[in-house]
Amino acid sequence: MTRENLLFAIIGVLFGFIVGFIFASTMNQRYGPGAPTALSSGQLPADHPPVGPNAAAPNSGGMQAEVSAQLEKARNEPKNFEAQIKAAELYYQIQRYDPAIEFLLKANQLKPDDYQTLVLLGVVNLDAHHYDVAEKWYRAALLKKNDDVVVLAGLSAAMLGKGDAKAAEKAIANLEKVDPSSEDLPQFKDRLASLKAGAK
């Protein structure tokens, strides 16, 4: 398959899923079984197109051209940090997590200390059920900012998904200490109780 054909195939997949994802995102206010997403926690850039119940259906021609241009730019400019991030967001929106992670890793190589990229790597890996990898990125983010509720909740969900009751209990306790009113706490505690019960 030529590069052009591959690009058009990717564009077709992106466009085919974008409307469905926008609908799905309105139905899933929370990330997976209880962890926040970049979308629900306001992690997307300020200039990102609206996603959610008030988002208008995308213009097919304009959206396809925008997606094509953004992916091409990210590939042609591998040292362009913003281009890598935007390409990752396009894939994340349609739940194509592996390509999103690939672009985020490139962004992380360009700016290893960028906090937001660390968080997004945790979020996307968690959504992809790569719990060990998600833990790594969340812990890296916590070294920079140890009271980020989004990161603490994400780490809690990663530890629960991983089945590590001890680490999950510690992460949940840290989340509760920082944000006692977190909406995630009840379900996290229920899942922790189930995890402990299953281990007996």
Side-chain angles (χ1 to χ4, degrees):
M1 182 180 285
T2 66
R3 180 181 177 185
E4 289 76 14
N5 288 340
L6 179 60
L7 181 61
F8 281 118
I10 292 172
I11 292 169
V13 172
L14 287 170
F15 177 68
F17 285 102
I18 193 77
V19 174
F21 175 77
I22 290 173
F23 173 75
S25 69
T26 66
M27 303 302 291
N28 295 305
Q29 295 295 321
R30 293 269 160 204
Y31 175 83
T37 61
L39 297 176
S40 67
S41 57
Q43 296 292 332
L44 294 177
D47 61 349
H48 194 279
V51 176
N54 297 322
N59 176 282
S60 59
M63 178 62 74
Q64 186 172 6
E66 180 183 340
V67 168
S68 175
Q70 190 58 61
L71 293 177
E72 192 70 17
K73 182 175 183 179
R75 292 188 176 92
N76 290 338
E77 302 177 24
K79 296 192 180 300
N80 184 329
F81 174 81
E82 293 299 331
Q84 306 308 309
I85 292 292
K86 288 188 177 183
E89 288 170 355
L90 287 172
Y91 278 114
Y92 179 76
Q93 286 183 48
I94 60 165
Q95 301 177 359
R96 294 280 304 280
Y97 303 123
D98 287 342
I101 290 167
E102 180 183 343
F103 282 109
L104 286 172
L105 287 172
K106 289 179 182 177
N108 177 252
Q109 289 173 354
L110 295 171
K111 292 187 178 181
D113 294 326
D114 184 73
Y115 178 76
Q116 197 60 34
T117 305
L118 298 177
V119 175
L120 289 175
L121 277 163
V123 169
V124 181
N125 274 287
L126 179 60
D127 216 358
H129 304 295
H130 303 322
Y131 300 119
D132 287 332
V133 182
E135 177 187 5
K136 167 193 164 185
W137 293 110
Y138 280 133
R139 292 196 185 281
L142 286 172
L143 289 175
K144 293 179 173 293
K145 188 177 179 183
N146 64 6
D147 62 349
D148 188 325
V149 174
V150 171
V151 176
L152 290 169
L155 180 60
S156 299
M159 295 300 89
L160 289 167
K162 187 178 175 180
D164 188 335
K166 185 176 180 180
E169 187 169 25
K170 183 176 180 180
I172 293 168
N174 288 336
L175 173 62
E176 187 169 26
K177 182 178 179 181
V178 173
D179 184 12
S181 62
S182 170
E183 296 178 358
D184 293 311
L185 284 172
Q187 58 182 314
F188 282 174
K189 288 180 177 180
D190 286 346
R191 290 177 62 195
L192 178 61
S194 298
L195 187 61
K196 286 181 172 181
K200 291 180 181 178

